[in-house]
Structure formats: structure tokens, C-alpha cells
Amino acid sequence: VEGLRTALELTRTAELLNKVHGETRECEELLAAALAAEPESAGALAVLGLVTHTRRKDVGEAERLLRRALQVDPGHADALCYYGDVLLDSTRKQYAAAEELFTRALAAQPDHVTALTSYGLYVQEFRKENEVAERLLTKAVALDPQHPDALSHLG
């Protein structure tokens, strides 16, 4: 239980460092510590997958980490969304699989801001369903008025 609590706290701090400050090295160090405390932490694996994809541009390693996170917790909404984003990467272009991951994340957590935003952006860009995208993004902003991705893509 203590390892799980430590891993959760370290993962939250790492996620904040990544989102707000873009501190890749410090973020990776915190995630390594989280995984040392709790090797099966789906949250730490998911955030490490996100950082590996968005900061390191290592799509293969990001996919491996996110698959591992989903083996630990198949309904982990962040891991589902981050993996969906990896599948949309120009090196993967697995659009149907990405959409399925976004809808699974929303089925698991209908008010998950990242899932609403990721699926909203997917629907907007790949399905050209602007009304559906606007509903999803509006809901995301209602839940998190400061969410930068949702805000930047709304009307």
C-alpha cells in the first residue's frame, strides 16, 4: 500500500512537471522512482508512455509502455487516450484503433477530460464531424475551464 501511495504521488508530480513545465528529465526521474516503488503502476507507465511519445518522439517505446499500462489496468482512461494518440502518430496511422481506444476511455469514465478532448479532436480532424467535436470539447472545457487543448480547438 505504501509503495502504491508513493507511486501515485510521484506520478502526479511528474505529470504536472511534464504538462506545466515540460521538464522531461525530472519527469522521467520521478516516474522511474514511482515504478521502482510500484512496478505495476498503470498511471506511472501511462505518463511515461506520454512523455516518451511527446517529448522523446520514441513511438515504439511509448507504445510498449502504454500496452504494459493497459495490461495492468485495461480500463485506465489516461493510458487508453495516450495510446490512442500514439496510434494517430504519422508513423502508425491506425485511425480506427485509436478511435476505439478513445471510446473505451469514455465508456470507462464519461467525464474524463483527456478522453473528451482526445476524442473531440479525433472526430474533428478525421471524421470532420464538427458538431460532435464541439459537444465533446465543450464538455471538456466545462469540466476543466483551463484545459489548453480543448480551449484551443473550440470554435
Side-chain angles (χ1 to χ4, degrees):
V1 173
E2 186 61 34
L4 185 59
R5 187 174 316 140
T6 300
L8 183 61
E9 291 168 3
L10 289 168
T11 300
R12 285 184 181 150
T13 303
E15 192 169 24
L16 183 64
L17 277 172
N18 181 53
K19 279 184 182 176
V20 177
H21 302 290
E23 298 288 342
T24 304
R25 187 180 53 78
E26 291 87 348
C27 181
E28 289 173 330
E29 289 171 2
L30 287 171
L31 292 168
L35 289 167
E38 181 57 48
E40 297 299 307
S41 169
L45 289 163
V47 175
L48 187 55
L50 170 69
V51 171
T52 301
H53 179 230
T54 60
R55 305 281 184 204
R56 297 281 180 212
K57 308 297 185 206
D58 186 341
V59 176
E61 179 62 8
E63 186 170 9
R64 186 191 70 74
L65 289 163
L66 292 163
R67 281 180 185 231
R68 186 167 157 219
L70 291 170
Q71 287 173 341
V72 172
D73 181 357
H76 194 280
D78 284 330
L80 289 164
C81 292
Y82 301 156
Y83 190 22
D85 288 337
V86 167
L87 294 179
L88 293 178
D89 192 275
S90 62
T91 63
R92 293 293 191 268
K93 296 183 181 180
Q94 296 179 18
Y95 306 121
E99 181 175 17
E100 192 244 321
L101 292 171
F102 297 142
T103 58
R104 278 179 50 199
L106 283 172
Q109 293 184 31
D111 290 334
H112 191 273
V113 174
T114 300
L116 289 163
T117 303
S118 293
Y119 192 44
L121 297 177
Y122 171 85
V123 167
Q124 187 176 56
E125 185 171 342
F126 296 101
R127 294 174 93 196
K128 307 299 184 204
E129 295 178 10
N130 292 328
E131 289 179 18
V132 174
E134 186 172 343
R135 280 196 307 273
L136 292 162
L137 295 169
T138 298
K139 184 175 179 181
V141 170
L143 293 165
D144 181 358
Q146 304 302 315
H147 195 279
D149 289 334
L151 283 170
S152 69
H153 288 87
L154 258 179

